[in-house]
């Protein structure tokens, strides 16, 4: 079964952090989860608040468990707040429906997992995370 190796997850995180520094972003926190929403790797930049782990995890886990990007979840929340609220409750309040939650797929479109990036604006988090995924030859859907 395809998946994201620990080595590849660490590279995604490193390249996401590199892109964040290149963009001049605030300190980022990045988590990589597998297709079941289980944490493979996490890293928090120096100066990033400790609570960012839960936000990054909520972005990544929400995407992979709902099969939607963070951007799609945000749009759905704007249109149907009751649905996203109920989904969040069903997932144990582990759903953060904003950009920066990015599905990770292989070249054939198979879902491998997701990443959650947090620390700057959601749009900047998304851009940095997509660069990290692209750097390892996988497809970012955010």
């Amino acid at each position: 079964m395809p998946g994201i190796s620990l080595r590849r997850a660490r590279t995604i995180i490193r390249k996401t952090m590199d892109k964040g520094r290149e963009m001049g972003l605030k300190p980022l926190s990045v988590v990589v989860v597998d297709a079941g929403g289980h944490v493979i790797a996490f890293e928090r930049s120096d100066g990033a608040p400790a609570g960012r782990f839960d936000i990054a995890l909520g972005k990544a886990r929400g995407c992979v468990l709902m099969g939607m990007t963070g951007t799609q979840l945000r749009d759905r929340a704007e249109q149907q707040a009751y649905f996203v609220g109920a989904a969040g409750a069903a997932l144990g309040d582990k759903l953060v429906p904003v950009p920066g939650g990015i599905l990770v797929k292989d070249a054939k479109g198979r879902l491998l997992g997701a990443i959650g990036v947090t620390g700057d604006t959601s749009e900047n988090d998304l851009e940095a995370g997509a660069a990290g995924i692209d750097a390892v030859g996988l497809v970012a859907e955010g």
Side-chain angles (χ1 to χ4, degrees):
M1 177 176 202
I4 302 170
S5 68
L6 178 59
R7 182 182 183 137
R8 202 173 236 183
R10 288 177 173 159
T11 301
I12 290 169
I13 290 170
R14 187 178 76 250
K15 295 296 187 177
T16 298
M17 298 285 197
D18 290 348
K19 182 66 173 180
R21 282 188 292 278
E22 176 187 310
M23 293 171 63
L25 304 184
K26 295 176 184 172
L28 298 179
S29 295
V30 185
V31 67
V32 180
V33 301
D34 65 17
H38 306 282
V39 175
I40 299 169
F42 169 75
E43 190 169 312
R44 181 170 53 98
S45 295
D46 291 340
R52 292 293 182 169
F53 171 76
D54 293 316
I55 295 169
L57 183 59
K59 287 183 176 188
R61 189 176 279 162
C63 287
V64 79
L65 295 179
M66 294 295 295
M68 302 171 74
T69 69
T71 301
Q72 290 169 329
L73 285 168
R74 178 206 54 206
D75 295 347
R76 184 83 183 260
E78 289 173 354
Q79 296 167 358
Q80 295 178 310
Y82 60 89
F83 172 78
V84 174
L91 297 175
D93 294 323
K94 298 281 188 202
L95 173 66
V96 178
V98 295
I102 308 165
L103 294 173
V104 179
K105 296 185 175 183
D106 66 13
K108 294 181 179 180
R110 291 179 293 210
L111 179 65
L112 304 178
I115 73 168
V117 182
T118 185
D120 206 87
T121 67
S122 294
E123 289 73 18
N124 286 340
D125 294 344
L126 172 59
E127 184 177 343
I133 295 166
D134 291 344
V136 297
L138 295 175
V139 178
E141 189 176 313

